[in-house]
PDB file of all heavy atoms in Angstrom:
ATOM      1  N   ARG I  55     -11.180  -0.379 -16.283  1.00 93.00           N
ATOM      2  CA  ARG I  55     -11.723   0.296 -17.462  1.00 93.00           C
ATOM      3  C   ARG I  55     -10.678   0.459 -18.555  1.00 93.00           C
ATOM      4  O   ARG I  55     -10.738   1.416 -19.312  1.00 93.00           O
ATOM      5  CB  ARG I  55     -12.273   1.654 -17.081  1.00 93.00           C
ATOM      6  CG  ARG I  55     -13.505   1.553 -16.223  1.00 93.00           C
ATOM      7  CD  ARG I  55     -14.359   2.814 -16.335  1.00 93.00           C
ATOM      8  NE  ARG I  55     -14.820   3.348 -15.080  1.00 93.00           N
ATOM      9  CZ  ARG I  55     -15.629   2.711 -14.231  1.00 93.00           C
ATOM     10  NH1 ARG I  55     -16.023   1.493 -14.487  1.00 93.00           N
ATOM     11  NH2 ARG I  55     -16.035   3.294 -13.122  1.00 93.00           N
ATOM     12  N   THR I  58      -4.856   3.404 -19.088  1.00 96.00           N
ATOM     13  CA  THR I  58      -4.792   4.859 -19.133  1.00 96.00           C
ATOM     14  C   THR I  58      -3.345   5.263 -18.863  1.00 96.00           C
ATOM     15  O   THR I  58      -2.491   4.416 -18.592  1.00 96.00           O
ATOM     16  CB  THR I  58      -5.700   5.511 -18.073  1.00 96.00           C
ATOM     17  OG1 THR I  58      -5.207   5.143 -16.774  1.00 96.00           O
ATOM     18  CG2 THR I  58      -7.140   5.059 -18.206  1.00 96.00           C
ATOM     19  N   LYS I  59      -3.104   6.551 -18.877  1.00 94.00           N
ATOM     20  CA  LYS I  59      -1.749   7.038 -18.639  1.00 94.00           C
ATOM     21  C   LYS I  59      -1.275   6.610 -17.249  1.00 94.00           C
ATOM     22  O   LYS I  59      -0.128   6.206 -17.047  1.00 94.00           O
ATOM     23  CB  LYS I  59      -1.740   8.569 -18.754  1.00 94.00           C
ATOM     24  CG  LYS I  59      -0.365   9.162 -18.825  1.00 94.00           C
ATOM     25  CD  LYS I  59      -0.466  10.677 -19.040  1.00 94.00           C
ATOM     26  CE  LYS I  59       0.894  11.326 -18.882  1.00 94.00           C
ATOM     27  NZ  LYS I  59       0.808  12.789 -18.969  1.00 94.00           N
ATOM     28  N   ARG I  60      -2.178   6.727 -16.271  1.00 96.00           N
ATOM     29  CA  ARG I  60      -1.793   6.423 -14.896  1.00 96.00           C
ATOM     30  C   ARG I  60      -1.472   4.942 -14.691  1.00 96.00           C
ATOM     31  O   ARG I  60      -0.486   4.592 -14.062  1.00 96.00           O
ATOM     32  CB  ARG I  60      -2.916   6.829 -13.941  1.00 96.00           C
ATOM     33  CG  ARG I  60      -2.642   6.388 -12.523  1.00 96.00           C
ATOM     34  CD  ARG I  60      -3.663   6.908 -11.520  1.00 96.00           C
ATOM     35  NE  ARG I  60      -4.968   6.312 -11.660  1.00 96.00           N
ATOM     36  CZ  ARG I  60      -5.865   6.255 -10.681  1.00 96.00           C
ATOM     37  NH1 ARG I  60      -5.575   6.760  -9.501  1.00 96.00           N
ATOM     38  NH2 ARG I  60      -7.042   5.725 -10.885  1.00 96.00           N
ATOM     39  N   TYR I  77      -5.252  10.353  -3.241  1.00 96.00           N
ATOM     40  CA  TYR I  77      -5.729  11.447  -2.403  1.00 96.00           C
ATOM     41  C   TYR I  77      -4.809  12.661  -2.474  1.00 96.00           C
ATOM     42  O   TYR I  77      -4.698  13.419  -1.507  1.00 96.00           O
ATOM     43  CB  TYR I  77      -5.893  10.985  -0.954  1.00 96.00           C
ATOM     44  CG  TYR I  77      -6.899   9.878  -0.806  1.00 96.00           C
ATOM     45  CD1 TYR I  77      -6.523   8.603  -0.437  1.00 96.00           C
ATOM     46  CD2 TYR I  77      -8.245  10.133  -1.075  1.00 96.00           C
ATOM     47  CE1 TYR I  77      -7.449   7.595  -0.316  1.00 96.00           C
ATOM     48  CE2 TYR I  77      -9.177   9.117  -0.960  1.00 96.00           C
ATOM     49  CZ  TYR I  77      -8.782   7.862  -0.578  1.00 96.00           C
ATOM     50  OH  TYR I  77      -9.699   6.863  -0.470  1.00 96.00           O
ATOM     51  N   GLY I  78      -4.163  12.826  -3.610  1.00 95.00           N
ATOM     52  CA  GLY I  78      -3.363  14.011  -3.832  1.00 95.00           C
ATOM     53  C   GLY I  78      -2.103  14.137  -3.008  1.00 95.00           C
ATOM     54  O   GLY I  78      -1.374  15.103  -3.154  1.00 95.00           O
ATOM     55  N   MET I  79      -1.819  13.164  -2.127  1.00 96.00           N
ATOM     56  CA  MET I  79      -0.652  13.326  -1.257  1.00 96.00           C
ATOM     57  C   MET I  79       0.034  12.045  -0.835  1.00 96.00           C
ATOM     58  O   MET I  79       1.105  12.100  -0.255  1.00 96.00           O
ATOM     59  CB  MET I  79      -1.061  14.083  -0.008  1.00 96.00           C
ATOM     60  CG  MET I  79      -1.992  13.299   0.871  1.00 96.00           C
ATOM     61  SD  MET I  79      -2.798  14.349   2.066  1.00 96.00           S
ATOM     62  CE  MET I  79      -4.015  15.064   0.982  1.00 96.00           C
TER      63      MET I  79
ATOM     64  P    DA E   7      -7.733  22.046   4.868  1.00 57.29           P
ATOM     65  OP1  DA E   7      -7.329  23.380   5.332  1.00 57.29           O
ATOM     66  OP2  DA E   7      -8.759  21.894   3.815  1.00 57.29           O
ATOM     67  O5'  DA E   7      -6.422  21.270   4.410  1.00 57.29           O
ATOM     68  C5'  DA E   7      -5.495  20.817   5.398  1.00 57.29           C
ATOM     69  C4'  DA E   7      -4.551  19.810   4.753  1.00 57.29           C
ATOM     70  O4'  DA E   7      -5.177  18.507   4.731  1.00 57.29           O
ATOM     71  C3'  DA E   7      -4.204  20.156   3.299  1.00 57.29           C
ATOM     72  O3'  DA E   7      -2.813  20.017   3.090  1.00 57.29           O
ATOM     73  C2'  DA E   7      -4.982  19.138   2.483  1.00 57.29           C
ATOM     74  C1'  DA E   7      -5.049  17.945   3.440  1.00 57.29           C
ATOM     75  N9   DA E   7      -6.199  17.069   3.195  1.00 57.29           N
ATOM     76  C8   DA E   7      -7.464  17.427   2.841  1.00 57.29           C
ATOM     77  N7   DA E   7      -8.292  16.417   2.695  1.00 57.29           N
ATOM     78  C5   DA E   7      -7.502  15.318   2.977  1.00 57.29           C
ATOM     79  C6   DA E   7      -7.789  13.938   3.005  1.00 57.29           C
ATOM     80  N6   DA E   7      -8.977  13.419   2.725  1.00 57.29           N
ATOM     81  N1   DA E   7      -6.788  13.106   3.331  1.00 57.29           N
ATOM     82  C2   DA E   7      -5.585  13.621   3.610  1.00 57.29           C
ATOM     83  N3   DA E   7      -5.202  14.889   3.620  1.00 57.29           N
ATOM     84  C4   DA E   7      -6.224  15.701   3.288  1.00 57.29           C
ATOM     85  P    DT E   8      -2.078  21.009   2.110  1.00 57.29           P
ATOM     86  OP1  DT E   8      -0.660  20.994   2.486  1.00 57.29           O
ATOM     87  OP2  DT E   8      -2.828  22.279   2.021  1.00 57.29           O
ATOM     88  O5'  DT E   8      -2.245  20.233   0.724  1.00 57.29           O
ATOM     89  C5'  DT E   8      -1.687  18.938   0.597  1.00 57.29           C
ATOM     90  C4'  DT E   8      -2.061  18.378  -0.764  1.00 57.29           C
ATOM     91  O4'  DT E   8      -3.380  17.762  -0.708  1.00 57.29           O
ATOM     92  C3'  DT E   8      -2.123  19.436  -1.871  1.00 57.29           C
ATOM     93  O3'  DT E   8      -1.547  18.928  -3.046  1.00 57.29           O
ATOM     94  C2'  DT E   8      -3.613  19.648  -2.064  1.00 57.29           C
ATOM     95  C1'  DT E   8      -4.150  18.254  -1.794  1.00 57.29           C
ATOM     96  N1   DT E   8      -5.586  18.174  -1.423  1.00 57.29           N
ATOM     97  C2   DT E   8      -6.142  16.917  -1.291  1.00 57.29           C
ATOM     98  O2   DT E   8      -5.507  15.898  -1.458  1.00 57.29           O
ATOM     99  N3   DT E   8      -7.468  16.925  -0.960  1.00 57.29           N
ATOM    100  C4   DT E   8      -8.283  18.012  -0.764  1.00 57.29           C
ATOM    101  O4   DT E   8      -9.454  17.869  -0.468  1.00 57.29           O
ATOM    102  C5   DT E   8      -7.628  19.291  -0.913  1.00 57.29           C
ATOM    103  C7   DT E   8      -8.399  20.522  -0.703  1.00 57.29           C
ATOM    104  C6   DT E   8      -6.341  19.304  -1.237  1.00 57.29           C
ATOM    105  P    DT E   9      -0.899  20.092  -4.033  1.00 57.29           P
ATOM    106  OP1  DT E   9       0.492  20.333  -3.655  1.00 57.29           O
ATOM    107  OP2  DT E   9      -1.844  21.229  -4.160  1.00 57.29           O
ATOM    108  O5'  DT E   9      -0.916  19.273  -5.392  1.00 57.29           O
ATOM    109  C5'  DT E   9      -0.515  17.910  -5.408  1.00 57.29           C
ATOM    110  C4'  DT E   9      -1.328  17.137  -6.436  1.00 57.29           C
ATOM    111  O4'  DT E   9      -2.588  16.716  -5.868  1.00 57.29           O
ATOM    112  C3'  DT E   9      -1.684  17.946  -7.685  1.00 57.29           C
ATOM    113  O3'  DT E   9      -1.546  17.098  -8.799  1.00 57.29           O
ATOM    114  C2'  DT E   9      -3.155  18.242  -7.493  1.00 57.29           C
ATOM    115  C1'  DT E   9      -3.583  16.926  -6.840  1.00 57.29           C
ATOM    116  N1   DT E   9      -4.897  16.932  -6.184  1.00 57.29           N
ATOM    117  C2   DT E   9      -5.559  15.740  -6.071  1.00 57.29           C
ATOM    118  O2   DT E   9      -5.115  14.686  -6.481  1.00 57.29           O
ATOM    119  N3   DT E   9      -6.781  15.825  -5.461  1.00 57.29           N
ATOM    120  C4   DT E   9      -7.390  16.967  -4.970  1.00 57.29           C
ATOM    121  O4   DT E   9      -8.490  16.912  -4.450  1.00 57.29           O
ATOM    122  C5   DT E   9      -6.635  18.180  -5.121  1.00 57.29           C
ATOM    123  C7   DT E   9      -7.191  19.466  -4.628  1.00 57.29           C
ATOM    124  C6   DT E   9      -5.433  18.112  -5.714  1.00 57.29           C
ATOM    125  P    DG E  10      -0.624  17.537 -10.023  1.00 57.29           P
ATOM    126  OP1  DG E  10       0.720  17.801  -9.498  1.00 57.29           O
ATOM    127  OP2  DG E  10      -1.320  18.561 -10.820  1.00 57.29           O
ATOM    128  O5'  DG E  10      -0.563  16.174 -10.863  1.00 57.29           O
ATOM    129  C5'  DG E  10      -0.252  14.989 -10.163  1.00 57.29           C
ATOM    130  C4'  DG E  10      -1.145  13.838 -10.612  1.00 57.29           C
ATOM    131  O4'  DG E  10      -2.440  13.924  -9.984  1.00 57.29           O
ATOM    132  C3'  DG E  10      -1.407  13.764 -12.102  1.00 57.29           C
ATOM    133  O3'  DG E  10      -1.395  12.394 -12.454  1.00 57.29           O
ATOM    134  C2'  DG E  10      -2.794  14.383 -12.263  1.00 57.29           C
ATOM    135  C1'  DG E  10      -3.468  13.967 -10.967  1.00 57.29           C
ATOM    136  N9   DG E  10      -4.476  14.905 -10.457  1.00 57.29           N
ATOM    137  C8   DG E  10      -4.358  16.267 -10.376  1.00 57.29           C
ATOM    138  N7   DG E  10      -5.399  16.838  -9.835  1.00 57.29           N
ATOM    139  C5   DG E  10      -6.251  15.794  -9.528  1.00 57.29           C
ATOM    140  C6   DG E  10      -7.533  15.801  -8.926  1.00 57.29           C
ATOM    141  O6   DG E  10      -8.187  16.762  -8.518  1.00 57.29           O
ATOM    142  N1   DG E  10      -8.062  14.513  -8.807  1.00 57.29           N
ATOM    143  C2   DG E  10      -7.426  13.373  -9.212  1.00 57.29           C
ATOM    144  N2   DG E  10      -8.084  12.235  -9.036  1.00 57.29           N
ATOM    145  N3   DG E  10      -6.233  13.350  -9.783  1.00 57.29           N
ATOM    146  C4   DG E  10      -5.697  14.597  -9.908  1.00 57.29           C
ATOM    147  P    DT E  11      -1.384  11.951 -13.938  1.00 57.29           P
ATOM    148  OP1  DT E  11      -0.513  10.777 -14.011  1.00 57.29           O
ATOM    149  OP2  DT E  11      -1.163  13.140 -14.793  1.00 57.29           O
ATOM    150  O5'  DT E  11      -2.898  11.455 -14.146  1.00 57.29           O
ATOM    151  C5'  DT E  11      -3.402  10.504 -13.248  1.00 57.29           C
ATOM    152  C4'  DT E  11      -4.889  10.316 -13.469  1.00 57.29           C
ATOM    153  O4'  DT E  11      -5.629  11.389 -12.858  1.00 57.29           O
ATOM    154  C3'  DT E  11      -5.303  10.300 -14.947  1.00 57.29           C
ATOM    155  O3'  DT E  11      -5.990   9.105 -15.183  1.00 57.29           O
ATOM    156  C2'  DT E  11      -6.196  11.527 -15.091  1.00 57.29           C
ATOM    157  C1'  DT E  11      -6.723  11.708 -13.684  1.00 57.29           C
ATOM    158  N1   DT E  11      -7.137  13.079 -13.314  1.00 57.29           N
ATOM    159  C2   DT E  11      -8.331  13.241 -12.631  1.00 57.29           C
ATOM    160  O2   DT E  11      -9.054  12.330 -12.328  1.00 57.29           O
ATOM    161  N3   DT E  11      -8.625  14.546 -12.310  1.00 57.29           N
ATOM    162  C4   DT E  11      -7.885  15.676 -12.603  1.00 57.29           C
ATOM    163  O4   DT E  11      -8.256  16.785 -12.260  1.00 57.29           O
ATOM    164  C5   DT E  11      -6.654  15.423 -13.319  1.00 57.29           C
ATOM    165  C7   DT E  11      -5.769  16.574 -13.688  1.00 57.29           C
ATOM    166  C6   DT E  11      -6.340  14.151 -13.632  1.00 57.29           C
ATOM    167  P    DC E  12      -6.351   8.685 -16.671  1.00 57.29           P
ATOM    168  OP1  DC E  12      -5.916   7.290 -16.824  1.00 57.29           O
ATOM    169  OP2  DC E  12      -5.869   9.725 -17.599  1.00 57.29           O
ATOM    170  O5'  DC E  12      -7.940   8.715 -16.629  1.00 57.29           O
ATOM    171  C5'  DC E  12      -8.612   8.000 -15.596  1.00 57.29           C
ATOM    172  C4'  DC E  12     -10.037   8.495 -15.469  1.00 57.29           C
ATOM    173  O4'  DC E  12     -10.040   9.860 -14.996  1.00 57.29           O
ATOM    174  C3'  DC E  12     -10.823   8.489 -16.786  1.00 57.29           C
ATOM    175  O3'  DC E  12     -12.118   7.980 -16.544  1.00 57.29           O
ATOM    176  C2'  DC E  12     -10.860   9.961 -17.165  1.00 57.29           C
ATOM    177  C1'  DC E  12     -10.915  10.628 -15.797  1.00 57.29           C
ATOM    178  N1   DC E  12     -10.458  12.038 -15.790  1.00 57.29           N
ATOM    179  C2   DC E  12     -11.178  12.997 -15.082  1.00 57.29           C
ATOM    180  O2   DC E  12     -12.197  12.641 -14.473  1.00 57.29           O
ATOM    181  N3   DC E  12     -10.750  14.276 -15.096  1.00 57.29           N
ATOM    182  C4   DC E  12      -9.648  14.618 -15.769  1.00 57.29           C
ATOM    183  N4   DC E  12      -9.268  15.903 -15.743  1.00 57.29           N
ATOM    184  C5   DC E  12      -8.894  13.651 -16.492  1.00 57.29           C
ATOM    185  C6   DC E  12      -9.332  12.386 -16.485  1.00 57.29           C
ATOM    186  P    DT E  13     -13.126   7.635 -17.761  1.00 57.29           P
ATOM    187  OP1  DT E  13     -13.492   6.219 -17.609  1.00 57.29           O
ATOM    188  OP2  DT E  13     -12.513   8.099 -19.027  1.00 57.29           O
ATOM    189  O5'  DT E  13     -14.413   8.524 -17.444  1.00 57.29           O
ATOM    190  C5'  DT E  13     -14.919   8.576 -16.118  1.00 57.29           C
ATOM    191  C4'  DT E  13     -16.044   9.606 -16.035  1.00 57.29           C
ATOM    192  O4'  DT E  13     -15.486  10.935 -15.940  1.00 57.29           O
ATOM    193  C3'  DT E  13     -16.984   9.611 -17.237  1.00 57.29           C
ATOM    194  O3'  DT E  13     -18.315   9.803 -16.789  1.00 57.29           O
ATOM    195  C2'  DT E  13     -16.523  10.820 -18.041  1.00 57.29           C
ATOM    196  C1'  DT E  13     -16.023  11.759 -16.960  1.00 57.29           C
ATOM    197  N1   DT E  13     -14.948  12.699 -17.382  1.00 57.29           N
ATOM    198  C2   DT E  13     -14.965  13.988 -16.885  1.00 57.29           C
ATOM    199  O2   DT E  13     -15.818  14.379 -16.137  1.00 57.29           O
ATOM    200  N3   DT E  13     -13.927  14.764 -17.321  1.00 57.29           N
ATOM    201  C4   DT E  13     -12.888  14.407 -18.168  1.00 57.29           C
ATOM    202  O4   DT E  13     -12.027  15.201 -18.472  1.00 57.29           O
ATOM    203  C5   DT E  13     -12.936  13.039 -18.632  1.00 57.29           C
ATOM    204  C7   DT E  13     -11.882  12.555 -19.560  1.00 57.29           C
ATOM    205  C6   DT E  13     -13.947  12.259 -18.228  1.00 57.29           C
TER     206       DT E  13
END
Side-chain angles (χ1 to χ4, degrees):
Chain I
R55 292 204 226 297
T58 64
K59 193 176 170 185
R60 173 174 70 157
Y77 299 112
M79 67 196 78

